[in-house]
Amino acid sequence: MNWLLDLTPDEWNAVRLSIKVATVAMLASLPPGILIALLLARGRFWGKTLLNGLVHLPLILPPVVTGYLLLLTFGRRGPAGAFLAEYFGIVFSFRWTGAALACGVMGFPLMVRAIRLSIEAVDRKIEAAAGTLGANPLWVFATITLPLILPGLIAGAILSFAKAMGEFGATITFVSNIPNETQTLPSAIYTFTQVPGGDAGALRLTLISVVISMVALVASEVLARRVGRRMDIE
Amino acid sequence: MTLAVDISHRLGDFAIEANFESAGRLTALFGPSGSGKSTLINLIAGLIRPQKGRIAVDGRVLADSAAGIFVPMHKRRIGMVFQDARLFPHMSVAGNLRYGRWFTPWSERYANMDAVVDLLGIGHLLDRRPAKLSGGEKQRVAIGRALLASPKLLLMDEPLASLDEARKAEILPYIERLRDETKIPIAYVSHSIAEVARLASDVVVLSQGKVAAFGPAEAIMQRLDLLPAEERGEGGAVLDARVLRHDEAFGMTVLGSPAGEIRISRLARPAGTPVRLRIRARDVMIATEQPAGLSALNILAGTIAAVRPGVGPTVEIAIDCNGAIVLARITEQSKQTLRLALGRKVFAVIKTVSFDSATTGTGLPVEADG
């Protein structure tokens, strides 16, 4: 087992970076994910189909295309990228933040889908009951809707995290493969497979990648079951 | 308190036009399914915005299309009890009960947790989850939850409709206590004549979206023609009486009413308690002379005040017994044989066993407020 944990500093960095990127991507996607899911589940507005299509685009486009589009939009000279860099000092291109953005975008359709399904399953009559008890729509959302969709939120968050852990195409296209900055686990594994004698390193990182994904999955299962038991919904 | 409604609202093919003003303790909105009861209650609660008209509770305008007023439901302070209890599945019973308190300003909180829990007998359920409750328990908790929001009006939308007879019998006394022991005015939607006759002080009869009749329960209950066909068998006069004494030897209770003494099975209530009886028209026989050698114990003397055609070969006869009206449904043949006509002196005969828990309820306190 020793050879498995005996990682080089660069490999450790790749592991740490991947977890950081995936966590940030997941957390940053949650608020817009909930909002878009709410809009899609309950909104009735012109262009809903278009929004739905846009959200799902990363799922059907080749990841390289998504990455390239991100580069065009959020790159230093891209419209959004230039604006954010100028006014907020947020730079995406060739930074870990860019990796998080790419991962977040790729996982977004999965997250929105899970949350949307759970919102659609909420009985709106129960929300109306809360309204008659004096809760305004925001309170109803915070005290009734949000707790009821918690299992869906957890599922969506874990899907997004898992997708981010495995994201490769869009990330490498958008922010390249810079050790200690944008080299996530998949990029590091890819790099190992491109050099002679890199097999052992590739295998180590592959196994670590499997373990992290499994832990995340099991944790979400346990969490969801505990939430479910607490609610004990018929 | 008054509940004033004057609205017209159209939903697809269905139009509702209602105009009434009730000051009763418990106003029943009565009518068959599809008569617009639930739409009306949703309009009062603020779940639907009326297209035209005005709704006011105690002079506080909740909706007025002409003035452009529409108070959103969370600001109406109207407690609602739904047919499906709609408890919050992710909270305990105590959490459900406390929910509405949160949103009630301090100065307007009058409901007391212990008193409500005690009134509804739900103290042993507080730690449970809604999923672990029976239908009757759920409904009691839902009533408590609405009460603890300290509402200005309590709306009950067919609260017993999805329960079996045993559960209904379990909850009815609690609603009677609610009516008699709290000050909250209640609007009660139902299609069941048994519930309305037992609970209501005033009745709004709805038919195809319109108010077919409105008045005190005793007066409306005599109008058997207002009842939907499937409820006619349960129809009959409502008589407010009170417990005179108990006859322990025979296990009976003697009630005093304007129509005379009425003997029913032993009631577990002290002398003086008001009792409301529903005397089903089908349970009443008519005799033209004082009957003798008859097992029926209740024989009330009176004169025929009205004769109305009934369903099929029957007629409905209203007998004025010393000011109280008793209804009888008999066949046209009997009517002709006995030559029953207006003003004739007759005796109404009622078997004691026709008074059961479904037709015997707690009467409204005589000093009705409002």
Side-chain angles (χ1 to χ4, degrees), chain A residues 133-148:
Chain A
L133 290 165
N136 67 28
L138 261 172
W139 275 116
V140 172
F141 180 76
T143 59
I144 307 296
T145 320
L146 214 51
L148 288 179

Side-chain angles (χ1 to χ4, degrees), chain A residues 125-126 128-137 139-140 143-144 147-148 230-234, chain B residues 47 73-74 78 80 82 84 86-91 99-100 102-103 129 131-132 138 145 149:
Chain A
K125 290 173 166 183
I126 287 180
T132 64
L133 290 165
N136 67 28
W139 275 116
V140 172
T143 59
I144 307 296
L148 288 179
R230 195 166 55 81
M231 285 201 270
D232 221 335
I233 299 165
E234 305 97 311
Chain B
L47 292 137
M73 72 175 162
H74 66 272
I78 290 180
M80 199 147 175
F82 303 92
D84 45 340
R86 299 196 193 176
L87 298 180
F88 306 133
H90 57 298
M91 297 180 191
Y99 189 83
W102 252 73
F103 304 104
R129 295 271 158 193
K132 298 266 190 290
K138 273 184 196 161
R145 183 178 68 174

Side-chain angles (χ1 to χ4, degrees), chain B residues 207-270:
Chain B
S207 173
Q208 294 171 340
K210 297 205 166 43
V211 176
F214 167 58
E218 298 85 343
I220 296 289
M221 286 298 116
Q222 291 170 25
R223 298 273 312 275
L224 297 186
D225 57 304
L226 292 171
L227 304 183
E230 69 273 17
E231 287 281 319
R232 278 211 175 187
E234 288 296 314
V238 165
L239 200 59
D240 280 314
R242 64 178 50 239
V243 176
L244 280 187
R245 61 182 182 275
H246 298 295
D247 183 346
E248 302 296 351
F250 289 107
M252 304 232 282
T253 293
V254 182
L255 305 175
S257 83
E261 288 192 359
I262 294 174
R263 300 174 78 86
I264 66 173
S265 303
R266 177 78 161 87
L267 278 186
R269 287 172 205 163

